[in-house]
Amino acid sequence: MPLSIATWNINSVRLRIGLVAKLAAEQQPDVICLQETKTPDDAFPLKDAARFGYPHAAIHGQKGYHGVAILSKRPFEEVSRQGFCDMGDARHISVVLGREAGLAAPLTIHNFYIPAGGDIPDPAVNEKFRHKLAFLDEATAWETLHPQDPAARSVLVGDLNIAPLETDVWSHKQLLDVVSHTPIEVEKLARLQAAGRWVDVMRNFIPPQERLYTWWSYRAADWAASDRGRRLDHVWATPALAPSARAMTVLREARGWERPSDHVPVVVTFDA
C-alpha cells in the first residue's frame, strides 16, 4: 500500500493553517509533518485539520517558538516525544503506524526541527550556534535513531536547518561561513546520518550533482528570479525502507502562495 509523507516548516500553523489545507487538497498526503508550529498544544487548530481530512494528530508545541506536529489520515499505534539539551524545546515527535493504518509491518516516523543556530558560526560567542552543535551531538548519540534490526522501517523528516551538499546551496563558496552550510555543521549532520545508516531519499530522485532547494529567504525582493535557495528540509529512510520510495516532489510553487512560509513542502511516497 502506498504511503505518502509530507514535511513542511510552516512557520506558524495558526497563521498558515489555510496553506496546510491547500497542501492537503492538492497533494493528498497520508501524513503531514510540520515544524515551527509556534503554538502550545491547547491552541493547535486540531478541528481545522480534522475538517480537511486529518483526524489523527500528534503534537508537541510551545508558545511562540519551535513546535512540531504530525497530522495523519491513518491512526497511530504509538506517539513519543524526545527532549534535547535540557532546553525544554519542542523539537521532536515520532509516531508508529501499523496494522490499523493498513501497513503489513510497523513504520516509525521521526519529525525534527533542529535549531537554526543564529547568525555567527562560532560556539564561543554565539549560544544559539553552540546549542545547535550540542543538539546534533545528542541526536547522534540517541540510540533510538540507530535501528539495529536490518528490517527496521523508519523515516526521519524535518527542517534539519543544514544544507550539506555544495548543490544544496546557491553558492557553496559564498555560504561556507554562513550558518547552515559551515563545515562543522555539515560534518555533524553526516555523523548523525551515518550513525543510523540513514539514506538521503531526496537525493535518490535528484542526483547530488543537481541543485535542490527547499527554502528561500524572506529578505529576497524576488526570490524566484534570484533563486538563492538552500535545501534545509530533508527526508531520510532506513536501508530497508529507502528502496521502496517511488516518488518525490518539492512543491516550489508553495513559496509563491499568499503569505507563504519561507520553506516549501516536500512529499515522498513509499510502497509501505
Side-chain angles (χ1 to χ4, degrees):
M1 176 182 290
L3 178 74
S4 55
I5 302 172
T7 179
W8 193 7
N9 178 317
I10 194 62
N11 191 16
S12 178
V13 68
R14 286 188 289 175
L15 180 63
R16 296 186 171 87
I17 191 63
L19 297 187
V20 181
K22 182 177 175 67
L23 168 69
E26 295 184 1
Q27 299 295 320
Q28 290 293 318
D30 295 294
V31 178
I32 301 175
C33 297
L34 300 173
Q35 304 89 39
E36 207 170 356
T37 55
K38 294 184 175 179
T39 185
D41 291 351
D42 59 5
F44 194 97
L46 294 172
K47 292 182 179 178
D48 296 275
R51 192 176 302 118
F52 57 74
Y54 295 80
H56 308 284
I59 54 178
H60 185 196
Q62 60 188 103
K63 184 178 180 180
Y65 296 95
H66 322 311
V68 286
I70 301 178
L71 310 179
S72 179
K73 295 181 177 181
R74 309 187 193 185
F76 308 134
E77 289 192 352
E78 297 177 23
V79 176
S80 62
R81 302 161 183 82
Q82 179 71 11
F84 294 89
C85 302
D86 296 321
M87 296 288 287
D89 292 347
R91 294 186 176 275
H92 167 271
I93 194 163
S94 66
V95 300
V96 177
L97 302 177
R99 291 185 180 276
E100 288 188 30
L103 305 184
L107 187 150
T108 301
I109 302 172
H110 291 279
N111 182 17
F112 271 93
Y113 176 45
I114 287 178
D119 295 325
I120 303 171
D122 184 348
V125 299
N126 178 4
E127 170 58 31
K128 291 182 179 180
F129 194 67
R130 185 161 66 86
H131 176 210
K132 183 176 191 175
L133 300 183
F135 188 104
L136 288 163
D137 287 341
E138 282 197 19
T140 299
W142 188 29
E143 292 189 0
T144 299
L145 298 183
H146 311 163
Q148 298 301 308
D149 183 351
R153 290 153 39 93
S154 297
V155 180
L156 188 158
V157 305
D159 176 6
L160 305 188
N161 261 315
I162 299 171
L165 304 182
E166 293 187 15
T167 49
D168 287 336
V169 294
W170 64 272
S171 173
H172 169 63
K173 184 177 181 179
Q174 294 185 65
L175 271 67
L176 272 173
D177 294 325
V178 174
V179 174
S180 79
H181 191 60
T182 64
I184 189 171
E185 293 170 272
V186 171
E187 178 187 356
K188 286 185 180 292
L189 187 68
R191 288 181 181 176
L192 172 60
Q193 184 179 356
R197 298 184 300 122
W198 296 98
V199 177
D200 182 350
V201 173
M202 295 175 69
R203 283 303 186 178
N204 281 355
F205 291 92
I206 307 296
Q209 62 268 27
E210 296 184 21
R211 295 194 179 278
L212 178 59
Y213 309 144
T214 63
W215 174 92
W216 292 263
S217 174
Y218 285 133
R219 298 175 184 175
D222 188 338
W223 70 271
S226 62
D227 200 25
R228 295 189 170 191
R230 306 178 204 175
R231 181 174 70 124
L232 303 180
D233 306 273
H234 298 263
V235 178
W236 295 352
T238 49
L241 183 64
S244 71
R246 71 180 196 187
M248 191 277 292
T249 302
V250 176
L251 275 74
R252 178 186 170 101
E253 62 269 24
R255 184 60 179 82
W257 290 351
E258 186 175 356
R259 299 182 75 187
S261 170
D262 45 1
H263 295 251
V264 300
V266 178
V267 183
V268 174
T269 301
F270 296 90
D271 287 323

